[in-house]
Amino acid sequence: MAQKRLETLLGHLKPEERGPQLTLNPTAASTTLTYRYTTQESARVLTPEQRQFYEDNGFLVVRRLVPGDKLEVFHDRFKQICRKEVDVPGLTIMKDVAIAKSEFDTNERAVTKIQNFQHDPVLSNYCSLPDILKYVECFTGPDIMAMHTMLINKPPDPGSKTSRHPLHQDLYYFPFRPADSIVCSWTAMERVNRQNGCLVVLPGTHKGELWKHDYPKWEGGVNKMYHGIVDYTEGNERVHLEMEAGDTVFFHPILIHGSGMNRTSGFRKAISCHYASSHCQYVSVGGTVQEKIAKEVEDIAQKKLGPDATITFQDAWAIRSLCVKGNRVNL
C-alpha cells in the first residue's frame, strides 16, 4: 500500500518537481536513490536536478563559475609564455598544423595550445581554484590529483578545417582507472559559440565503451595527437555547448565530444584541467585500443630525452601529475 501511495503522489508532480528518479523497492515502503557517477558528498554541492543531469548525460555546465579577473590573469600569463618572457619546465607549446609556417608572428596568435602547465606558478592556480575543486570533489572524492592541463587558443580556420577537433573520448589518453573517478573541468575564457567552435557533446555516451581511436583522414591535415573515434556509427544527438566567459563544464572521460571549426577572424580561448582521485590505479594498456597512443607518447618522450631514455606511458603521466587537494595515495 505504501508503494502504491508513493506512485500516486509522483504521478501528480510535474517533471521538474520530481528531482532524481526514485527506484522503488518492491519489498519495502522506503525509497532509494542510485548514483554511479557522483559521490555521496556531492549532495552538499549539487542540486538534485544537477546531480541527476550528470548521471544521465555525463556532463554539467555551471554558469559564471570563474570570475573575469582570474581569467584575465591567466590570459596575461599565456601572452607572456607566447612571447617567451618566461620559461616553464615541462610545458608543451603547440601550433595548429595549418598555421605552423604561416604569417603569424611569435606571439599569442602563433600558439594554439599549451599543455602541462601544472607547475607554472600562475596558470596552475586554475587547478586549485576552490570554486572549481568544490565541484570536482563531487566526481572524484576529496583526494584530488591534477593530471592534465591545457589552455586552448583555437585559431581562425584558414579553410583547411584543421581547427576542428574530432569526436573523441579523453579516457583514451589516460592509463589510470576507474574512469568514474576522473573528470574534466573546461572553462570558457571568452564567449564560446558555434561560430568560433564550441564544444559539442553526445549526451549519455559516458555510459558506453571506450572506442578505437586513430588520426582522421582529413584532407587539410590533422594536429598532433588529435586522434578521433574510428567508424563511429551510433545515432546519438549532438549538443553544442555555447558558453560565456567563466562558464565551466564538467564532463566524464568516456563522454564523446569534440569541437567544430572556428569560422570567425578571432581566436577562441578556454582553460581546462583533468582531475582524478588519487586512489585511482595505473593500468597496463598493452593489447588495448590505447596501445597506439601509448606508443606515440613514449616515442615523443624518447625524442625529447634521448635514445637511452626509457619513459613509459605511465611515467609520462606520473611526472606531470600534481596533488591539489587531500592526500596523494596512488597516482
Side-chain angles (χ1 to χ4, degrees):
M1 290 297 295
Q3 179 179 332
K4 192 67 175 179
R5 288 196 299 271
L6 179 57
E7 291 174 332
T8 301
L9 175 61
L10 290 175
H12 288 295
L13 292 178
K14 297 178 181 179
E16 63 270 21
E17 296 173 338
R18 295 181 189 178
Q21 183 177 355
L22 294 177
T23 302
L24 300 182
N25 184 343
T27 63
S30 62
T31 62
T32 59
L33 298 173
T34 302
Y35 297 109
R36 170 179 170 180
Y37 302 102
T38 52
T39 64
Q40 185 175 355
E41 292 75 17
S42 66
R44 296 180 299 185
V45 176
L46 305 179
T47 67
E49 292 77 16
Q50 287 176 317
R51 190 176 185 188
Q52 193 63 46
F53 188 90
Y54 188 89
E55 291 280 336
D56 293 340
N57 297 284
F59 71 96
L60 177 68
V61 177
V62 180
R63 303 293 181 185
R64 299 181 294 277
L65 186 61
V66 180
D69 58 341
K70 288 186 170 60
L71 295 177
E72 191 61 34
V73 170
F74 300 146
H75 188 187
D76 289 343
R77 186 63 167 183
F78 176 67
K79 290 187 286 187
Q80 287 182 318
I81 292 171
C82 294
R83 294 194 297 262
K84 300 184 178 180
E85 296 174 1
V86 294
D87 183 22
V88 181
L91 193 73
T92 301
I93 298 177
M94 301 176 67
K95 296 182 179 182
D96 188 276
V97 63
I99 67 171
K101 299 180 180 179
S102 72
E103 76 280 5
F104 292 118
D105 297 325
T106 306
N107 57 30
E108 64 176 312
R109 291 173 62 84
V111 176
T112 57
K113 183 187 290 186
I114 58 175
Q115 295 191 109
N116 309 322
F117 60 67
Q118 288 97 311
H119 301 292
D120 178 74
V122 178
L123 292 178
S124 63
N125 289 327
Y126 172 80
C127 305
S128 56
L129 285 175
D131 287 342
I132 294 283
L133 291 181
K134 177 178 69 174
Y135 283 93
V136 170
E137 190 171 349
C138 296
F139 314 108
T140 65
D143 299 316
I144 305 173
M145 301 293 295
M147 300 300 294
H148 181 229
T149 51
M150 295 186 295
L151 196 156
I152 305 146
N153 190 39
K154 183 188 277 284
D157 196 280
S160 60
K161 300 182 181 180
T162 56
S163 66
R164 293 175 294 172
H165 198 142
L167 289 176
H168 65 282
Q169 298 163 296
D170 290 340
L171 189 67
Y172 172 71
Y173 295 92
F174 303 151
F176 42 90
R177 300 292 189 275
D180 294 345
S181 294
I182 305 169
V183 71
C184 179
S185 69
W186 192 101
T187 300
M189 296 179 68
E190 56 200 327
R191 177 174 292 179
V192 175
N193 52 34
R194 294 189 68 168
Q195 286 68 44
N196 63 13
C198 65
L199 286 180
V200 57
V201 298
L202 278 60
T205 52
H206 67 302
K207 300 177 182 180
E209 62 184 304
L210 181 59
W211 288 71
K212 180 181 178 181
H213 290 58
D214 204 341
Y215 284 108
K217 295 177 175 60
W218 289 349
E219 185 177 343
V222 185
N223 285 306
K224 189 70 174 175
M225 303 188 90
Y226 275 37
H227 294 201
I229 294 176
V230 177
D231 299 329
Y232 184 74
T233 57
E234 301 295 324
N236 300 80
E237 65 169 323
R238 301 187 181 192
V239 173
H240 294 83
L241 301 183
E242 298 199 335
M243 301 160 68
E244 300 293 332
D247 292 351
T248 302
V249 58
F250 298 90
F251 59 91
H252 190 280
I254 297 182
L255 182 76
I256 297 174
H257 65 288
S259 64
M261 287 186 295
N262 182 355
R263 295 182 172 87
T264 72
S265 59
F267 285 68
R268 186 271 277 161
K269 292 180 177 62
I271 187 168
S272 73
C273 179
H274 282 91
Y275 299 90
S277 166
S278 73
H279 296 268
C280 288
Q281 299 273 0
Y282 286 108
V283 298
S284 173
V285 300
T288 74
V289 295
Q290 294 180 261
E291 197 168 39
K292 184 180 182 68
I293 190 65
K295 179 69 164 55
E296 186 170 345
V297 169
E298 291 168 358
D299 288 347
I300 292 172
Q302 193 170 52
K303 287 178 182 178
K304 288 184 177 180
L305 301 175
D308 295 330
T310 55
I311 300 295
T312 68
F313 192 33
Q314 293 182 13
D315 292 337
W317 286 103
I319 291 169
R320 69 184 62 164
S321 60
L322 179 69
C323 185
V324 291
K325 188 174 182 180
N327 300 308
R328 185 168 193 166
V329 181
N330 296 321
L331 296 183

